[in-house]
Structure formats: C-alpha cells, structure tokens
Amino acid sequence: FTRSRYTSTLALLAAISRIMLLATAATALSVRMSAAPAPASASASSTSGAADAPLLLRAARGEVTESTPVWMMRQAGRHMQVYRDLVKDYPTFRERSEIPDVSYAVSMQPRDAYGTDGVILFSDILTPLPAMGVDFAISEGGGITIDPIRTREAFAKMTAVPFEPETKISFVGDVLKRLRATLAGTDATVLGFVGLPFTLGTYLIEGATGTKTGFAAMRQLRESDPQLVADMLKLLGDRIAQYAIYQIDSGAQVVQVFDSWAGHLTPDEFDEWAAPFQRQVVGAIKAARPDTPVIIYMAPDTHSKEGALITKLAASGANVVSVDHTLPISAARELLDEAGYESVGLQGNLDPAILAEGSEEEIVAAAQDILKKMAGRPHIMNLGHGIEPTTPEPSANLFVKTVQEWRN
C-alpha cells in the first residue's frame, strides 16, 4: 500500500512537471511572437531595409539622398597627426595594416576626427599577394619591392598555391568585422577595396611601381608573351573577386575597385588588357553578392585625363564611377548620360591640391560647386585622387562639414 501511494505520488509530480514545462514553453513562444515584427510583403520589407541603410550605402545603390555622403580616398594616413604618432610604435606599413588592432584604429581615425560617412579598411591593394605566393615590401616613402614574375616558371609559384583569404590573411576579415560591429546603428558605411588585375599585374611584372619606367617591363612582356600576361591577369581576376567577396562577407557594405594604372593604356590597349578583367571582377562580385554596390576608380594618366576613358569604366558593370579631378563632374555626368549610363552614379571629385593648399573660402566654394552640379543625381562626395599628406587637418574637417551641412 505504501509503495502504491509512493508510486502514485511520483506519477502526479511528473505530470505536474510536464504541465509546468509546457506552460513555460508556451509563454516563451508567445513572448517571441509578440516581440517579432508582423509578417510583411517582400516589397515592404525591402523598402524598410533601404530606408534604414546608411546614407553612403543608399547613394551607392543609386538613390538620390537628402544630403550627400562624403569620405576621402586615403583618408586614413599621413596627413593626420594621430597616425604619425602611431608610426613611432609601428614603423612599417605592413605592421600598421596587418596587425588587426592597429589597422582598426587607423581605419577609425578619420571617422573619429571628421565624422566621415564612409569608413574604409586601412590596407593596401597588394595585401592579398602573400596569400597568392608573392611576398612584397613597402618602404615608408611608398616604394614597392617584389620579385618580378616574367616567366611561366615564376608564374607557377602563384598557380601552385590555393588562395584562402579566410586563413592566410584573416586579419582583413577581423578588422572589417570589428568596424561593422562598431558602426552598427550609426550613419556610417564600411568600405572594403581591392586592386584590379591590370594594376596588380603591373606590380608583379615590373617588381615595383611601373610609373618609374613607363611600365616598360609590362609592355615588353605583353609583346613577347601575351598569353602569359593574359593567364596572369585571369588568375588575378579570379582571386581578387574571391577576396572582394571575403571582404563583403566580413562586413564591407560597399567595395571600391582600383585600376589605378590602367590610364597609361591607349583606348585599344585598355580594351584588351584592362576592360575584360574589370568586367570579370565586377561581374563575379555582382553574381555572388548582388546587393553590394561597387565603385570603380582609375587615376588620371596619359590616356585617361579629362574623362577620356570614363565610359569604359562605366562599362565594367560598377554601380558608381569615381571621377578624377581633371574634368568637371558635370562633364563626367554628361558623358555617361550620352553613352547610355544614366543609372551609373558618380563619386568625387574635389582637387586634392585645393584641399591641401586652398583657403577656407576656396575649399567651401569648390565643394559647393560640385554639390550644385550633382543636385538631383546619385552622388558620393570625395576627392579626385587620394588626399595629400600635407593637407591640414582643419581643411579636411572643413571639407567634410561643408558637404554634410549641404541639403539637396
């Protein structure tokens, strides 16, 4: 009898326990459901996401924004005293760009000082090369040193190495993740960047910055072994696209692609040695991450000044063309519109010399002139080239504040 009552009591307690567990689960489910937003249509959800996106990201997607977002190429670096102070503790560029805590701190310096709308990863277009089997060195003066690749045998050291950015250059992803976490919920956009195949190829073949020789080694190899050059650029295209996607997956909301030295090519040479590989990289990014805007930039050079190749940049498939300072931005807009690229946005294009040497009045007037010319069209304010190391910090701050106070 005692054993029977004991067994019955255990059964009753077990039943009560099950009921309490079910009640708790139901309560938790109810709380989760009440906290969750009501289901919405795809279009409504998309509209809400777009409205919540930061200003620069919306402009890069082609939206005419209520005010113009602004950042500066090379904004993190030598023009800032806080950066120069940091150089004392981390004397090489590769230390500053490859130690995650340092790269993160440098990336954030312009945001902290000026409130820029874009925060770009502090790195270099050569950063992924060691993960491809090619080491490099950068002097404090900016000189590049690489063992040149000019033979099929030398190229084999690249093809023999699998490209795994997530393991071999994981510091890039670490910094982007931290930037994205820090800036979540703010009005800032995180930018990543990569170099495009032709420009990277010049470094590999020249073993240095090719401007010193007029890209003589690159030109000679294109003539003597065009298939080797094409194979090299194709491999770079595959891997750079992979690297850009890695940056996006790590936190980059916009990616800028640089073909800095492609402007020394004639139009016909550009069509053969730059354009196909630009399309390769941009197309691969778009296929894998279609919602991530791409900005393309090429420095003004022998054949690219005054917008001579700007429509070819627009043909890459990029969302935005970053315009150099050798032509008015209104002329750039007209050239793209006439060529059928009305939907391609523009970035730029204050002359860096004005920012470095101009008076307050000159900086404000030049910035406002660009803003007026781009009224009613998608636009990201920037410089026509990287900021000069001699630029006074108050001038950079004035430029950013002038743009941010303007209303479209």
Side-chain angles (χ1 to χ4, degrees):
F1 177 77
T2 302
R3 183 180 300 168
S4 175
R5 287 190 61 184
Y6 178 69
T7 302
S8 299
T9 301
L10 285 179
L12 178 61
L13 289 172
I16 293 172
S17 177
R18 285 195 299 272
I19 292 169
M20 291 177 67
L21 286 170
L22 287 170
T24 300
T27 301
L29 179 61
S30 175
V31 168
R32 286 196 301 272
M33 290 181 66
S34 63
S41 66
S43 59
S45 176
S46 174
T47 302
S48 174
D52 294 340
L55 192 68
L56 191 151
L57 177 57
R58 289 193 280 127
R61 288 173 174 168
E63 182 178 332
V64 177
T65 50
E66 62 276 11
S67 60
T68 302
V70 56
W71 67 286
M72 298 170 286
M73 288 185 284
R74 293 185 188 163
Q75 64 185 16
R78 289 174 291 170
H79 87 281
M80 300 188 74
Q81 183 62 50
V82 65
Y83 177 84
R84 296 194 296 272
D85 290 342
L86 186 143
V87 171
K88 301 169 187 175
D89 295 323
Y90 303 94
T92 70
F93 178 85
R94 289 193 64 177
E95 284 179 292
R96 297 190 295 275
S97 61
E98 296 181 15
I99 298 174
D101 286 347
V102 182
S103 175
Y104 167 82
V106 176
S107 301
M108 286 295 297
Q109 286 171 357
R111 170 69 179 181
D112 294 338
Y114 311 134
T116 53
D117 295 299
V119 176
I120 191 165
L121 169 74
F122 183 73
S123 185
D124 192 85
I125 61 172
L126 303 182
T127 294
L129 291 185
M132 302 182 198
V134 179
D135 204 7
F136 70 95
I138 302 181
S139 71
E140 279 308 286
I144 307 296
T145 304
I146 296 174
D147 287 337
I149 298 176
R150 299 172 185 170
T151 65
R152 185 66 63 174
E153 292 73 25
F155 180 50
K157 70 181 181 182
M158 291 185 68
T159 58
V161 176
F163 182 57
E164 300 170 343
E166 62 279 358
T167 59
K168 295 180 179 177
I169 46 174
S170 60
F171 54 86
V172 170
D174 293 341
V175 176
L176 286 168
K177 289 172 186 175
R178 188 171 174 188
L179 289 173
R180 186 67 180 274
T182 298
L183 297 168
T186 73
D187 59 354
T189 298
V190 177
L191 293 100
F193 72 95
V194 298
L196 285 167
F198 177 80
T199 292
L200 288 178
T202 66
Y203 286 105
L204 295 179
I205 293 168
E206 298 285 339
T209 304
T211 51
K212 297 178 181 178
T213 62
F215 301 92
M218 178 64 154
R219 188 175 300 279
Q220 182 178 0
L221 192 60
R222 292 203 317 261
E223 294 172 356
S224 64
D225 196 344
Q227 189 59 54
L228 174 59
V229 177
D231 290 347
M232 193 181 303
L233 299 185
K234 173 64 169 63
L235 180 69
L236 284 169
D238 290 338
R239 292 183 171 181
I240 288 303
Q242 183 183 347
Y243 180 46
I245 293 164
Y246 169 65
Q247 291 190 23
I248 294 166
D249 291 346
S250 297
Q253 296 164 284
V254 175
V255 172
Q256 180 152 321
V257 297
F258 288 84
D259 220 348
S260 305
W261 305 133
H264 94 277
L265 296 168
T266 67
D268 288 344
E269 291 171 338
F270 186 97
D271 288 342
E272 182 176 4
W273 296 107
F277 305 102
Q278 291 175 357
R279 292 194 297 270
Q280 176 190 354
V281 172
V282 174
I285 295 170
K286 289 296 182 185
R289 303 293 180 267
D291 294 332
T292 301
V294 176
I295 304 170
I296 190 168
Y297 175 77
M298 176 173 58
D301 208 328
T302 307
H303 298 287
S304 61
K305 292 177 182 177
E306 300 178 350
L309 298 175
I310 193 170
T311 58
K312 294 180 182 294
L313 291 181
S316 68
N319 302 79
V320 178
V321 171
S322 193
V323 183
D324 71 57
H325 53 282
T326 62
L327 80 162
I329 200 163
S330 55
R333 183 69 272 166
E334 185 176 348
L335 285 169
L336 293 194
D337 288 350
E338 290 176 351
Y341 297 110
E342 298 93 342
S343 63
V344 175
L346 293 183
Q347 176 175 271
N349 66 336
L350 188 79
D351 187 340
I354 293 177
L355 199 60
E357 303 166 7
S359 66
E360 291 186 1
E361 292 76 13
E362 289 171 330
I363 292 169
V364 170
Q368 290 183 346
D369 180 62
I370 294 169
L371 291 167
K372 290 174 184 176
K373 289 175 177 175
M374 287 303 297
R377 302 298 294 269
H379 179 222
I380 300 167
M381 179 64 90
N382 207 308
L383 308 179
H385 203 289
I387 190 169
E388 297 286 348
T390 56
T391 302
E393 292 182 54
S395 296
N397 186 58
L398 175 63
F399 170 61
V400 172
K401 295 301 183 286
T402 298
V403 176
Q404 291 178 336
E405 290 168 4
W406 184 269
R407 288 295 174 267
N408 293 325

